[in-house]
Amino acid sequence: MFERPESGENAILVQLDFGAGDYAERLAEFELLAAGAGARKKALVQGKRQAPDAATFAGKGKVQEIAEAARLHEADLVIFNHEITAAQQRNLEKVLSCRVIDRPALILDIFALRAKSHEGKLQVELAQLARLSTRLVRGWTHLERQKGGIGLRGPGETQLETDRRLLGKRVAMLKERLQQLERQRAVQRRARAKREMLAVSLVGYTNAGKSTLFNALTKAGSYAADQLFATLDTTSRRLFLAEAGQIVISDTVGFIRDLPHSLVAAFQATLEETARADLLLHVVDSASPDRDQQMDAVNKVLVEIGAAGVPQILIWNKIDATAAAPGVERDEYGKISRIRLSARSGAGLDLLREALSEVAREHASRIPSQADAA
């Protein structure tokens, strides 16, 4: 499942400029995403438009340019760094005579490649089916084969109706399995709450260094790599702080701009761990010229999953790449707002541990008063 040719697939990348302002950063990210999915970039087609073309997104002339590049390089697929409609996809594939996918499909594909745990795989499949069910571009005959094929079709059903029914059954089964896993996780959360430990979640844009920081703090040995979406499965570990005792810290999936809504919905149960945390460490790649837009993208997802109200400390990571000094910044109320550090070199990690101890002590001091109030 989700295997790629060893040599990769020949791809034509397409990015159009609609005047958003962060074109270069989006393009660099797009090329990383394509490479992460196993695509071999053969050509990049760019252009400027006021608005997408209703029929083909790119417009007749630009589509012809894409078609020529696809023929010249014997492309297996064309990837748009935009979200395109089902109708636009069908129209493009007729003209280009090869597969066409958009940015949400590309991100979902990478998640499918990276998912390792049973729950992660279920969540990715649910996200893919939720999105593709609105398209049914090529039908769902693979689902029919899984269910036995002949003898399944109801009287008078068209192929499309059969596909939708089979798809609905598969989606319902996936949701039920994920609900069972969520019930197990709820039991674990209640056990942690009884122990009254501070719950901390690492959040941030993909490849900001969350897993590297998680490993540096906990010695967990979680997979960390210089690639987008290296971590999909939430990992939690206890961390002992000399002045505050045990806390629980969790590494979570990285966010990205224009994250497919179906993916957020499918990962809702996992992401709820973030919403239920006592503190978020928002890890930022301080060396990235796109860091402000990345922070905005993360905060938008936090709003979507109901975590916007959770207290946050910015972790200004990768200071080894900017020559900045480790340090702690506080807001006008004396609360820690930002910590400058390098997860890779370890510079500033002592400051983070001290900050976590401070928050954990405050958390512990509030628990008796909450119990009395109850």
Side-chain angles (χ1 to χ4, degrees), residues 277-332:
D278 300 305
L279 174 69
L280 302 181
L281 298 181
H282 183 165
V283 183
V284 178
D285 178 358
S286 64
S288 171
D290 199 29
R291 65 193 181 203
D292 290 338
Q293 288 80 6
Q294 292 175 357
M295 289 165 61
D296 288 342
V298 171
N299 286 325
K300 284 179 182 177
V301 177
L302 291 176
V303 169
E304 194 168 349
I305 64 175
V310 181
Q312 211 183 95
I313 294 177
L314 283 178
I315 304 300
W316 217 240
N317 191 26
K318 304 188 182 182
I319 60 170
D320 51 314
T322 63
V328 174
E329 299 174 21
R330 295 179 182 267
D331 61 21
E332 62 270 30

Side-chain angles (χ1 to χ4, degrees), residues 235-254:
T235 304
S236 297
R237 292 287 186 276
R238 292 188 190 184
L239 174 63
F240 179 77
L241 301 170
E243 297 181 6
Q246 298 270 9
I247 69 170
V248 174
I249 186 164
S250 301
D251 187 19
T252 60
V253 61

Side-chain angles (χ1 to χ4, degrees), residues 350-373:
D350 55 332
L351 299 175
L352 175 56
R353 290 192 182 92
E354 290 171 9
L356 290 173
S357 293
E358 181 178 320
V359 175
R361 290 195 300 272
E362 290 177 4
H363 176 75
S365 70
R366 289 196 299 267
I367 291 172
S369 61
Q370 289 174 352
D372 294 341

Side-chain angles (χ1 to χ4, degrees), residues 117-188:
S117 72
H118 176 60
E119 183 175 21
K121 291 176 181 178
L122 292 177
Q123 289 170 317
V124 171
E125 183 181 355
L126 179 60
Q128 289 178 318
L129 297 185
R131 182 171 190 269
L132 294 175
S133 65
T134 62
R135 300 187 169 226
L136 289 174
V137 176
R138 297 178 187 85
W140 291 91
T141 52
H142 63 293
L143 287 178
E144 186 172 2
R145 285 197 300 272
Q146 286 178 11
K147 297 292 184 180
I150 295 172
L152 269 180
R153 189 172 308 184
E157 280 190 334
T158 66
Q159 180 64 49
L160 186 61
E161 288 168 339
T162 301
D163 291 342
R164 283 179 173 152
R165 178 167 56 80
L166 293 169
L167 178 61
K169 290 173 67 175
R170 181 69 178 170
V171 167
M173 183 273 291
L174 290 171
K175 287 182 176 179
E176 173 57 29
R177 286 189 185 177
L178 288 169
Q179 286 171 0
Q180 291 173 359
L181 292 169
E182 168 55 19
R183 286 193 286 270
Q184 294 172 11
R185 193 161 41 238
V187 171
Q188 296 170 351

Side-chain angles (χ1 to χ4, degrees), residues 167-222:
L167 178 61
K169 290 173 67 175
R170 181 69 178 170
V171 167
M173 183 273 291
L174 290 171
K175 287 182 176 179
E176 173 57 29
R177 286 189 185 177
L178 288 169
Q179 286 171 0
Q180 291 173 359
L181 292 169
E182 168 55 19
R183 286 193 286 270
Q184 294 172 11
R185 193 161 41 238
V187 171
Q188 296 170 351
R189 274 198 302 264
R190 284 196 293 272
R192 286 203 303 264
K194 286 180 180 178
R195 291 192 292 269
E196 299 174 344
M197 284 189 286
L198 179 76
V200 179
S201 281
L202 297 174
V203 299
Y205 207 76
T206 181
N207 211 27
K210 295 183 305 303
S211 294
T212 301
L213 179 60
F214 182 73
N215 289 336
L217 286 171
T218 67
K219 315 300 182 193
S222 294

